[in-house]
Amino acid sequence: MKYISRTIEEKLISMIDKYQVIMITGPRQVGKSTLLSFIARKFNFNINRVSLDDLILRNQAVEDPELFLRTHETPLIIDEFQKAPELLSYIKMIVDDDNEKIVFGEKEKVKTLYFLTGSQIFETMEEVSESLAGRVGILDLYGLSERELEGLKSDLFVPNIVDIKKRVRTKYNSTLDLYKKIYKGSYPELYTSDKDVEQYYSDYLRTFIEKDIRKLINIKDEYKFIKFVSSIAARTGQEFVASQVASQVGIDDKTANSWISILKNTGIIYLLQPYMNNTVGRAVKREKIYFTDTGLACYLAGYVDYITLEKSAYSGAIFETYIVDEIIKSFVNQGKDARKHLYYYRDNNQKEIDLLINYNNVIYPVEIKKSANSGKDAIKNFSVVNSFEGQPGNGIVLCMTKEIIALDDNNYMVPIEYI
């Protein structure tokens, strides 16, 4: 098994010894612990590590958190820290004592004491914000990006056409080659081992249910939950309407909303927010669903090979999901909160724009098309951006075209290889 370098390494390194606590959250098996192990080896850091997946250690942390922290020397990695939220108030006391020593000259400077990793942020984010506000640096980690897989430099993707033209392209030999990557997904283990894709996702789903979900839902609802997740996978790239999913699965709307929150807060899905401001009075307010891993979405939607996938009615939605995921990763891998920059737009007149990227108060409209030649019809709604607060930027259509092609003075077809 060979380690694949992660873009977020640079941001993580810059945070070490600037925060006493660094927290890395993200879905299971995206490489959070591996990332920390690599950084420790690279810089010859002597970092201890415990995982709260271990029942004995977890019981110790829950029953006597003070003793648990005294037992394990810092710097310390605590994997799956959300399983023992009792630790947070004691970590706060240790950090406060550390700060007092710095203030009174008993200690020279800040050192990172704890690295926390977690795949379930919903149980602990409120406690983290209350206990460790100003003391914790937070990073999100998702699966491998295409640029990471190809060993290329990964910059923030902002659709300014001048900057896009300076980017190094990734490589797709054919549409089928692209769908092979979409079908495989982005979990690192699939690229560092010879595991069968279908078996990997079967095992992943079982682990997800057993370790993340079982204590949150009734045992009798597990079958319905799996049916719910599969239904959501089939809706990737669509707006979330609780009543539609609820009626299909056989649950009520309240349960559907609760379960969608579980998927969001475990990093299985990303909910893209609608663009809203004072100038947008007729915009739809529903969120759009995107699975954060296309391979898992394909598995749940029932696809068993990439050739069938590419020819299916699902191919457009999963193509859009892949593109949005890559753009999200370009933001989170730079330590930025994608939710502050990425939106979509649809109003009651059915005018829709797949993606709005708001960066430095410039709003760039983005359409995503599987075709190689989308034409001007793809940009027909871009003019609505002129009525938004903020400065309108150039628009782009991300598609399978071979080269950047101007559609008019301010809008361009752009190959997906530039993401």
Side-chain angles (χ1 to χ4, degrees):
M1 295 178 67
K2 183 179 179 181
Y3 175 76
I4 298 173
S5 183
R6 307 303 298 266
T7 303
I8 207 169
E9 290 167 20
E10 185 175 341
K11 183 64 179 179
L12 173 58
I13 291 167
S14 73
M15 294 169 67
I16 294 175
D17 292 342
K18 291 185 177 64
Y19 294 93
Q20 283 111 329
V21 182
I22 295 175
M23 181 171 70
I24 304 177
T25 66
R28 283 191 172 274
Q29 299 181 27
V30 293
K32 300 182 291 291
S33 299
T34 304
L35 170 66
L36 288 172
S37 296
F38 172 78
I39 296 298
R41 288 173 179 268
K42 182 177 180 179
F43 292 95
N44 199 27
F45 294 153
N46 184 22
I47 303 179
N48 298 308
R49 177 183 171 184
V50 294
S51 174
L52 298 187
D53 272 338
D54 183 306
L55 284 174
I56 294 175
L57 289 174
R58 189 193 311 171
N59 287 337
Q60 291 175 351
V62 170
E63 292 175 4
D64 195 341
E66 185 177 13
L67 177 61
F68 176 88
L69 292 172
R70 282 209 310 265
T71 302
H72 301 282
E73 292 186 7
T74 59
L76 176 67
I77 297 170
I78 305 177
D79 283 328
E80 300 303 322
F81 76 96
Q82 78 282 342
K83 294 182 182 295
E86 294 84 357
L87 290 171
L88 292 173
S89 59
Y90 289 90
I91 289 176
K92 177 184 181 297
M93 288 189 285
I94 291 170
V95 170
D96 287 346
D97 181 63
D98 193 64
N99 281 331
E100 189 172 289
K101 289 178 180 177
I102 294 171
V103 169
F104 291 106
E106 298 173 26
K107 186 175 179 180
E108 186 176 341
K109 59 182 181 179
V110 170
K111 290 286 185 181
T112 299
L113 303 174
Y114 297 101
F115 297 86
L116 311 178
T117 78
S119 55
Q120 298 179 30
I121 62 172
F122 51 88
E123 292 180 335
T124 56
M125 283 305 293
E126 183 178 348
E127 286 147 336
V128 168
S129 62
E130 290 177 356
S131 301
L132 299 173
R135 303 170 179 85
V136 59
I138 302 173
L139 294 174
D140 296 318
L141 186 65
Y142 289 94
L144 294 163
S145 70
E146 181 60 29
R147 290 186 175 270
E148 288 173 332
L149 286 168
E150 295 187 20
L152 298 176
K153 187 177 188 298
S154 182
D155 294 320
L156 197 67
F157 182 79
V158 178
N160 183 301
I161 196 64
V162 175
D163 294 334
I164 285 177
K165 290 178 179 179
K166 297 176 184 177
R167 294 171 72 90
V168 177
R169 295 174 63 147
T170 56
K171 297 176 183 177
Y172 298 107
N173 296 324
S174 66
T175 302
L176 202 57
D177 178 54
L178 171 64
Y179 274 85
K180 186 176 182 179
K181 294 178 179 181
I182 288 173
Y183 174 76
K184 189 171 185 178
S186 62
Y187 288 105
E189 193 172 351
L190 287 169
Y191 295 89
T192 56
S193 71
D194 58 357
K195 284 194 174 183
D196 174 76
V197 173
E198 189 172 357
Q199 185 61 51
Y200 175 84
Y201 285 113
S202 175
D203 294 341
Y204 185 95
L205 184 61
R206 186 181 304 111
T207 302
F208 175 63
I209 295 294
E210 289 176 354
K211 293 191 175 183
D212 292 341
I213 301 303
R214 186 154 287 166
K215 65 178 179 177
L216 300 172
I217 64 174
N218 295 326
I219 297 293
K220 65 180 181 179
D221 286 334
E222 279 191 23
Y223 170 75
K224 285 186 177 180
F225 183 81
I226 293 173
K227 187 177 179 182
F228 173 83
V229 179
S230 299
S231 178
I232 294 299
R235 288 172 164 80
T236 188
Q238 298 179 24
E239 295 169 20
F240 174 63
V241 183
S243 59
Q244 292 179 359
V245 184
S247 62
Q248 181 181 6
V249 177
I251 56 177
D252 57 35
D253 291 5
K254 181 179 179 181
T255 301
N257 282 310
S258 172
W259 288 359
I260 204 73
S261 293
I262 291 174
L263 295 181
K264 172 189 172 184
N265 292 320
T266 50
I268 297 297
I269 64 169
Y270 181 94
L271 292 179
L272 184 67
Q273 301 297 311
Y275 184 78
M276 303 291 295
N277 65 31
N278 294 332
T279 65
V280 183
R282 297 172 59 83
V284 170
K285 298 180 181 180
R286 291 189 290 266
E287 298 162 311
K288 281 180 77 172
I289 305 161
Y290 288 98
F291 257 67
T292 57
D293 183 83
T294 55
L296 181 58
C298 291
Y299 172 77
L300 288 164
Y303 290 93
V304 296
D305 68 81
Y306 61 91
I307 297 173
T308 304
L309 174 66
E310 193 273 330
K311 295 177 180 178
S312 71
Y314 193 59
S315 65
I318 202 66
F319 176 84
E320 180 179 328
T321 299
Y322 174 78
I323 299 304
V324 172
D325 285 350
E326 289 292 297
I327 294 172
I328 291 170
K329 290 171 191 174
S330 86
F331 277 82
V332 298
N333 287 342
Q334 301 294 333
K336 296 186 180 297
D337 186 348
R339 295 168 299 178
K340 295 181 179 178
H341 301 284
L342 305 181
Y343 305 89
Y344 85 98
Y345 177 82
R346 188 165 75 84
D347 61 28
N348 293 333
N349 296 320
Q350 304 305 309
K351 288 185 177 180
E352 184 172 358
I353 300 174
D354 289 336
L355 193 63
L356 296 173
I357 299 181
N358 187 348
Y359 191 74
N360 201 22
N361 206 35
V362 179
I363 303 174
Y364 301 89
V366 179
E367 277 292 303
I368 301 167
K369 301 292 182 184
K370 181 186 172 185
S371 63
N373 186 6
S374 57
K376 288 191 175 183
D377 187 60
I379 63 172
K380 64 183 179 182
N381 296 325
F382 282 7
S383 60
V384 301
V385 176
N386 295 327
S387 65
F388 295 169
E389 295 175 356
Q391 179 183 340
N394 63 257
I396 65 169
V397 182
L398 288 167
C399 58
M400 299 298 290
T401 185
K402 295 296 183 184
E403 302 294 339
I404 296 174
I405 299 174
L407 293 169
D408 58 28
D409 289 344
N410 200 45
N411 298 291
Y412 305 83
M413 288 197 301
V414 175
I416 64 170
E417 291 94 327
Y418 282 98
I419 300 174

